[in-house]
Amino acid sequence: MRVEIWSDIACPWCYVGKARFEKALAAFPHRERIEVVHRSFELDPGRAKDDIQPVITMLTEKYGMSEAQAEAGEDNLGAQAAAEGLPYRTRGRDHGSTFDMHRLLHHAREQGRQVELLDLLYKANFAEERSVYDDDERLVALATAAGLDADAVRQVLADPEAYADEVRADEREAAQLGATGVPFFVLDRTYGVSGAQPAEVFTQALTQAWGERAPLKSIDDGGEVCGPDGCAVPRQ
Amino acid sequence: MRVEIWSDIACPWCYVGKARFEKALAAFPHRERIEVVHRSFELDPGRAKDDIQPVITMLTEKYGMSEAQAEAGEDNLGAQAAAEGLPYRTRGRDHGSTFDMHRLLHHAREQGRQVELLDLLYKANFAEERSVYDDDERLVALATAAGLDADAVRQVLADPEAYADEVRADEREAAQLGATGVPFFVLDRTYGVSGAQPAEVFTQALTQAWGERAPLKSIDDGGEVCGPDGCAVPRQ
């Protein structure tokens, strides 16, 4: 069974929701047969790569919050993260474009290193002092720590179109599936779970989707195939 | 809607079935919203890269056919291909491992060139005099003709593990979905169509799967999300 998780590195609820989902998954009896796929969703898709600002400033400018409101919001999110055992710097974090990170996550997926990179990106964004938006070499360092080849990563970063279509395709698909915010969890393209739900809700969703896994409905079994025993002889 | 097609380059029915499917797709009113994904399935997964032999010889040795039977089978397949307007050399083709071609098709997918490469590989295998199993540079030439970067392709070919996991994952998934031969078409993970069916069957499958596209069942809408308007304030 496949679970697709649309999220953004810059999304605190995605960071928290991922930990809650993973708690449910770790206790799920069929966890070995669940494939988890990260899907891209940018909260701030129009932002230029060099447009970086402190999160608190972004919150006041973009959403018209007072500084005190913005700080209280961060404090709340920090407390939610802490409750999941996740480190979270409530002050001094940066906000910027996550497009290149999503491109790298697609590259990492085909190298079998997606979850490693995602975890390191979240940690870098939410818990480390050095900004994750510093420069490309910051991303190269994180990607190599996730097991990726530095030169291949530099090549992806140098070509703004590398994996760009895959990021955009993910975002189009999210819209088609009805997601307006993230995290957004889709189980076997049948069940949707929106938001950083408690682990119990994910357990329920996994159980329900697992129980209802449907075999494919066959339209017609009569077509000619090639298989391990050769190719069917054509009907005359 | 997504259509996944499991197939092998060395599979005549896949070559024919793809043309029949595409005929149906070209006339399908919602074709612009159908994503087609190639999935890997090797008919002869145990074959070593340097174990290449004429198709007719393979058919007599592997399946115990007489030479006349093997040639009649190829003649029949050639006629089926011709009926779809596809060139097909019924004599002198080679058989060998398609593992590297599948690895390249995964590479091509992330470059947005999968269908271009697949078409060129089929054409090379079924219609061209030069063997598609000649050497790596034959594949490099086909891949660059499909729009891929030659150096990147050589890098994939030089590393036998590049995209190998993705090929194997496709093959495991085919087995889980109940495919024992190819081509095998899966529409939205709901409908399965086995074999090189007439275009009418694909039209029926597309129509049926499209009509039954189900919205996601929502487990719980109450989770906190971040969206274009910022992040939800946590429940206290």
Side-chain angles (χ1 to χ4, degrees):
Chain A
M1 193 168 88
R2 191 160 70 151
V3 178
E4 296 160 285
I5 309 177
W6 274 263
S7 55
D8 195 2
I9 316 303
C11 159
W13 285 120
C14 300
Y15 179 52
V16 171
K18 179 172 183 287
R20 293 180 182 169
F21 170 76
E22 284 174 351
K23 196 188 286 181
L25 184 64
F28 188 62
H30 308 289
R31 62 185 169 278
E32 299 297 338
R33 292 188 54 198
I34 309 280
E35 180 203 5
V36 178
V37 180
H38 163 80
R39 297 280 185 204
S40 301
F41 189 108
E42 295 163 277
L43 288 175
D44 198 355
R47 184 169 287 261
K49 191 178 161 76
D50 59 359
D51 185 4
I52 300 156
Q53 60 182 167
V55 165
I56 301 289
T57 309
M58 179 275 291
L59 291 172
T60 57
E61 288 187 1
K62 188 168 174 191
Y63 302 120
M65 293 182 183
S66 71
E67 198 161 313
Q69 283 173 323
E71 290 184 352
E74 281 293 283
D75 289 342
N76 274 324
L77 287 162
Q80 297 277 342
E84 301 302 327
L86 298 170
Y88 192 108
R89 294 177 73 237
T90 55
R91 298 292 181 278
R93 294 198 302 110
D94 273 348
H95 178 77
S97 168
T98 56
F99 190 63
D100 283 353
M101 300 180 207
H102 286 291
R103 295 197 298 114
L104 283 183
L105 283 164
H106 280 279
H107 171 65
R109 182 178 175 205
E110 57 96 342
Q111 303 290 327
R113 293 273 179 249
Q114 190 179 52
V115 67
E116 289 82 355
L117 180 59
L118 184 58
D119 284 340
L120 287 173
L121 289 172
Y122 274 137
K123 187 158 164 278
N125 183 50
F126 289 111
E128 290 175 17
E129 193 167 344
R130 183 175 166 194
S131 171
V132 74
Y133 304 99
D134 242 16
D135 56 29
D136 278 358
E137 283 305 307
R138 170 70 162 145
L139 295 181
V140 172
L142 291 165
T144 52
L148 294 169
D149 176 72
D151 287 340
V153 167
R154 286 196 188 96
Q155 233 173 303
V156 172
L157 290 171
D159 173 7
E161 282 311 305
Y163 301 95
D165 281 350
E166 305 212 337
V167 174
R168 292 183 199 115
D170 278 358
E171 294 178 334
R172 271 198 309 276
E173 223 169 7
Q176 280 165 11
L177 290 168
T180 53
V182 282
F184 188 70
F185 301 76
V186 174
L187 292 78
D188 250 1
R189 290 285 165 124
T190 307
Y191 283 96
V193 180
S194 173
Q197 302 275 0
E200 295 69 36
V201 173
F202 291 117
T203 299
Q204 185 204 331
L206 286 167
T207 307
Q208 204 156 329
W210 184 266
E212 293 178 23
R213 278 172 313 142
L216 291 179
K217 292 180 250 183
S218 172
I219 295 280
D220 185 334
D221 272 336
E224 288 95 349
V225 298
C226 301
D229 300 324
C231 297
V233 176
R235 296 182 283 218
Q236 296 302 318
Chain B
M1 193 167 85
R2 190 161 70 150
V3 179
E4 296 159 286
I5 310 178
W6 273 263
S7 55
D8 195 2
I9 315 306
C11 160
W13 285 119
C14 301
Y15 179 51
V16 171
K18 180 172 182 287
R20 293 180 181 168
F21 170 76
E22 284 173 352
K23 197 188 286 179
L25 184 64
F28 188 63
H30 308 289
R31 61 186 169 276
E32 299 295 339
R33 291 189 54 199
I34 309 280
E35 179 202 7
V36 178
V37 180
H38 162 80
R39 297 280 185 203
S40 300
F41 189 108
E42 294 163 278
L43 288 175
D44 198 354
R47 183 169 286 261
K49 191 176 161 80
D50 58 1
D51 185 3
I52 299 155
Q53 60 183 165
V55 164
I56 301 288
T57 309
M58 181 275 292
L59 291 172
T60 58
E61 290 187 1
K62 190 169 174 188
Y63 302 120
M65 294 180 180
S66 70
E67 199 161 311
Q69 283 174 322
E71 290 183 351
E74 282 291 284
D75 288 342
N76 273 325
L77 287 162
Q80 296 278 341
E84 301 303 328
L86 298 170
Y88 191 107
R89 294 178 73 236
T90 56
R91 298 292 181 277
R93 292 197 303 111
D94 273 347
H95 178 75
S97 167
T98 56
F99 191 63
D100 283 355
M101 300 179 207
H102 286 291
R103 296 197 297 115
L104 282 182
L105 284 164
H106 280 280
H107 171 65
R109 183 179 174 202
E110 56 98 340
Q111 303 289 327
R113 292 276 179 247
Q114 192 178 52
V115 68
E116 289 83 355
L117 180 59
L118 184 59
D119 283 340
L120 287 174
L121 288 172
Y122 274 136
K123 186 156 165 279
N125 183 51
F126 289 110
E128 291 176 15
E129 193 167 346
R130 182 174 167 193
S131 171
V132 74
Y133 304 100
D134 242 15
D135 58 25
D136 279 359
E137 283 306 305
R138 170 70 162 144
L139 295 181
V140 172
L142 291 165
T144 51
L148 294 169
D149 176 71
D151 287 339
V153 168
R154 286 196 190 96
Q155 232 172 306
V156 172
L157 290 171
D159 173 7
E161 282 310 304
Y163 302 95
D165 281 352
E166 305 210 336
V167 175
R168 295 184 197 115
D170 278 358
E171 294 179 335
R172 270 198 309 277
E173 223 169 7
Q176 282 166 10
L177 290 167
T180 55
V182 282
F184 187 70
F185 301 76
V186 174
L187 293 77
D188 249 2
R189 290 286 164 120
T190 306
Y191 283 97
V193 179
S194 175
Q197 304 274 1
E200 296 69 33
V201 173
F202 291 117
T203 299
Q204 184 203 331
L206 287 166
T207 307
Q208 204 155 328
W210 184 268
E212 294 178 23
R213 275 173 315 140
L216 291 178
K217 293 179 250 186
S218 172
I219 296 280
D220 185 335
D221 273 337
E224 288 96 348
V225 297
C226 301
D229 299 325
C231 297
V233 176
R235 296 183 284 216
Q236 297 300 317

